[in-house]
Amino acid sequence: MRHRKRKPVYYCLLIILLSVLSFSVIGSEPESIFNEESGYTRYVRSHLDCVTLRSADRYGSVHTRMWLAAIDITTGGLPESPLPRELRWYRKITSPNGSNLYWDQPTILAAYALSEYTNEKRYANSADGYILDFLKRCVAEKSGLFQWGNHIYYDVVRDQVHPFNGGYHECRPHTPAWETFWKHDPETAAAAIRAMGQAHIKNKESGQFCRHANPNATPGKFTEEEAKYAMPFLEAGASLIDSLCWLAKQTEDRKGELMELALLAAQYSFAQRDVTTGLLRNQPVEKRWDYYASTTEIGLWAGSLLRASEYTGEEEFGQIAEAAMRSWLQFGFDENTGKYYGRLAVESGLPQPPEAPRGWIPPMYAEVFDIHERPTHNYPMPMAETCLRLYEKTRDPLFGQAVERWVTHIRNSLPANDGRGAYAEDYGRVIHFLTRASLSLSRSEYRTLAQQIADEAIGHLFVEEAGMFCSHPGEDRCDAVDGPGILLLALLYLDTGMEPESAFAF
């Protein structure tokens, strides 16, 4: 079912036309090296034209080149309501009336990729401006940590960083695209990553880390209580390990302190596994639901460990990832439904139905197009991507079977939410996985399925009159936290078969 029709909006198209004319006057850019405008790229180009030309910060007394975290797709400005009608994210994670580069990174990468494929530099130039203005305004002076993520954003109306619910540094579940900062300011990027290692890892002997860190404190300085009750969610460990090892590679210090800290954090989480089932706890500190549960978050975490192994050459990262995945796959699939479970009991491996109300607990099955509250510790496609990477690495039939099963799970989940549509991130992750599996395994039917889902995503989310994607069905708004950039990257990948140089960690 297509997105409902709206009154035509010509503003965006007029700006695009003026932009094109200005290029012809000032001097045209090099001829495009990529000409797949008949495919999905035309939607990506149209969306990014609107974002880069009209959706920067023009509020308050200080205007910046930072993009809005929530965009009214009919005007290009802030939505009339700061929050979506259906609040999917708790707290202020949507960054109302703000800008949040943490959530915008996939869109930033799509802008760079589009410039790379088309030789039209205006997309990359807009992304550069965003990053440079972010670095001027959103780096904590005392710690060097970036002020972004789940507890901080930049308020474009008040022209200042806005902390909420403790104002912690917390970048989960996505690993920052550090290379985009490195090319502009390597010293600041390196300082931020080193600060993460010192501020998030609370115990240098056990490796216990925390999803939270205080950006206003000297890295490594925290209270005894903060260390004792540190919450080591697997998804927070994934971003931390990924980041530290990425910097180790950049600095050619692959066996130094950065790698040692990352390995310590990985070993800590792996040590909390059950001795009988081998299943890892989502967090091993507070005895609530996620202490007793193992979810597809394992796949997100293991994927980061595989990258850490590639960055550093340290095989133990890969060995830990493979062992953890083997244990989960042993218990995780339901033959009767053709779906993977949402969570397993750590001590038995049996599936656990969600309580009511569900809150941020995963569903009975690892729903591919989950429209429930986020963050929900439900990561089916990162799990699927890790299965594919392990199969590519080992050619072990266990991981090959898992890839097939994830494809079956996807088919059994269509159309998304019984035809109501899904969020941009979920569509994008599914399209990316199927495209990659098609290319890696030479399975053309996977690409056909990816195209079917891309068409469904466009039908529900792309609004022709506005020239933009909304990030979820039913509202004329695009929220960065909903992952529109992930969909853009996946559509580019589907069209080109090439991952951009600065690839999002799918």
Side-chain angles (χ1 to χ4, degrees):
M1 183 177 69
R2 285 201 162 269
H3 202 284
R4 63 182 177 83
K5 291 290 184 181
R6 296 164 180 76
K7 183 179 178 180
V9 176
Y10 301 109
Y11 181 67
C12 180
L13 296 176
L14 177 60
I15 291 179
I16 294 169
L17 177 60
L18 290 173
S19 173
V20 172
L21 290 173
S22 70
F23 277 114
S24 65
V25 173
I26 296 170
S28 60
E29 295 184 341
E31 184 179 351
S32 173
I33 59 172
F34 177 67
N35 295 303
E36 283 293 327
E37 291 302 313
S38 60
Y40 298 108
T41 301
R42 82 169 183 89
Y43 299 99
V44 177
R45 182 195 287 270
S46 177
H47 183 89
L48 287 175
D49 278 333
C50 293
V51 170
T52 58
L53 291 170
R54 63 178 184 148
S55 297
D57 164 25
R58 293 293 179 267
Y59 297 86
S61 58
V62 179
H63 295 177
T64 74
R65 293 171 290 178
M66 297 162 66
W67 301 344
L68 303 176
I71 302 170
D72 181 330
I73 65 171
T74 66
T75 67
L78 289 172
E80 184 176 337
S81 172
L83 297 174
R85 283 198 299 269
E86 294 186 10
L87 191 57
R88 189 190 198 197
W89 298 82
Y90 68 103
R91 301 188 185 130
K92 295 182 180 179
I93 294 176
T94 53
S95 308
N97 290 335
S99 176
N100 198 328
L101 183 50
Y102 182 70
W103 298 116
D104 258 328
Q105 286 174 100
T107 307
I108 286 282
L109 295 176
Y112 282 129
L114 188 59
S115 278
E116 178 185 351
Y117 297 154
T118 64
N119 271 339
E120 295 182 22
K121 302 307 179 187
R122 62 183 183 271
Y123 308 109
N125 290 341
S126 180
D128 287 343
Y130 187 171
I131 291 171
L132 288 169
D133 281 3
F134 172 88
L135 291 173
K136 288 179 185 176
R137 292 167 174 79
C138 302
V139 180
E141 289 186 18
K142 193 162 189 177
S143 66
L145 291 167
F146 288 179
Q147 295 178 297
W148 63 0
N150 292 341
H151 292 272
I152 317 173
Y153 65 92
Y154 182 82
D155 189 312
V156 299
V157 176
R158 296 191 292 174
D159 301 319
Q160 63 186 32
V161 170
H162 178 66
F164 60 95
N165 291 87
Y168 302 110
H169 179 269
E170 180 182 25
C171 56
R172 67 178 178 101
H174 310 318
T175 299
W178 292 112
E179 60 271 25
T180 62
F181 302 100
W182 186 266
K183 75 173 186 176
H184 293 293
D185 191 339
E187 290 184 4
T188 298
I193 296 172
R194 292 184 188 279
M196 285 174 63
Q198 296 300 320
H200 284 278
I201 298 178
K202 308 297 187 185
N203 188 320
K204 298 303 190 294
E205 294 182 2
S206 69
Q208 183 174 348
F209 58 92
C210 186
R211 62 185 175 125
H212 290 156
N214 182 358
N216 299 315
T218 302
K221 301 294 184 182
F222 34 76
T223 67
E224 186 175 328
E225 184 179 16
E226 285 176 312
K228 181 179 180 181
Y229 295 105
M231 289 293 283
F233 290 173
L234 285 176
E235 59 186 0
S239 177
L240 178 63
I241 293 163
D242 227 341
S243 299
L244 291 170
C245 291
W246 181 87
L247 182 59
K249 178 183 178 182
Q250 290 299 118
T251 57
E252 298 184 353
D253 185 21
R254 304 188 184 199
K255 299 295 181 181
E257 180 188 19
L258 293 164
M259 190 276 287
E260 290 176 358
L261 283 173
L263 186 57
L264 192 64
Q267 291 168 336
Y268 172 81
S269 294
F270 192 56
Q272 315 305 317
R273 67 192 184 283
D274 183 82
V275 294
T276 302
T277 64
L279 293 172
L280 276 66
R281 302 181 190 278
N282 267 40
Q283 64 82 18
V285 175
E286 185 178 346
K287 292 189 176 180
R288 59 186 197 181
W289 76 268
D290 45 358
Y291 176 88
Y292 300 100
S294 183
T295 76
T296 50
E297 196 166 312
I298 294 290
L300 177 79
W301 178 79
S304 288
L305 266 64
L306 291 176
R307 284 188 294 275
S309 182
E310 294 169 1
Y311 292 148
T312 64
E314 175 54 62
E315 293 182 359
E316 188 174 349
F317 286 114
Q319 293 166 352
I320 291 173
E322 185 175 337
M325 288 289 290
R326 286 184 182 279
S327 295
W328 201 91
L329 292 173
Q330 178 183 350
F331 299 101
F333 190 68
D334 182 0
E335 296 275 2
N336 293 324
T337 63
K339 288 187 175 184
Y340 280 97
Y341 291 113
R343 62 174 176 152
L344 305 171
V346 168
E347 295 178 357
S348 67
L350 295 175
Q352 290 185 318
E355 290 84 352
R358 200 184 117 192
W360 55 80
I361 297 174
M364 182 66 185
Y365 295 99
E367 297 301 341
V368 173
F369 302 109
D370 194 8
I371 58 175
H372 203 72
E373 183 177 337
R374 293 279 180 104
T376 186
H377 304 277
N378 175 41
Y379 295 106
M381 287 302 97
M383 165 70 81
E385 295 267 3
T386 300
C387 290
L388 179 56
R389 293 188 68 190
L390 282 169
Y391 182 66
E392 291 168 342
K393 177 183 176 182
T394 67
R395 290 297 163 179
D396 188 316
L398 173 69
F399 300 119
Q401 179 189 56
V403 171
E404 293 278 359
R405 285 176 166 179
W406 277 114
V407 175
T408 298
H409 188 135
I410 291 167
R411 286 200 182 99
N412 290 342
S413 302
L414 294 171
N417 297 305
D418 297 320
R420 289 175 291 163
Y423 281 72
E425 175 178 352
D426 295 338
Y427 276 130
R429 286 191 178 278
V430 172
I431 293 164
H432 184 276
F433 165 68
L434 290 170
T435 304
R436 184 171 164 210
S438 172
L439 293 169
S440 176
L441 306 178
S442 299
R443 299 288 294 271
S444 61
E445 67 271 27
Y446 292 172
R447 175 177 171 79
T448 300
L449 184 57
Q451 291 171 325
Q452 174 189 333
I453 295 168
D455 292 341
E456 179 181 319
I458 290 166
H460 281 289
L461 301 181
F462 191 77
V463 183
E464 289 280 359
E465 297 91 339
M468 289 188 71
F469 286 99
C470 52
S471 60
H472 57 268
E475 291 193 78
D476 292 335
R477 60 185 295 143
C478 183
D479 292 282
V481 74
D482 291 339
I486 296 175
L487 176 58
L488 301 181
L489 286 170
L491 292 175
L492 286 174
Y493 187 33
L494 182 57
D495 254 2
T496 67
M498 298 182 292
E499 294 273 31
E501 182 181 349
S502 298
F504 181 68
F506 279 93

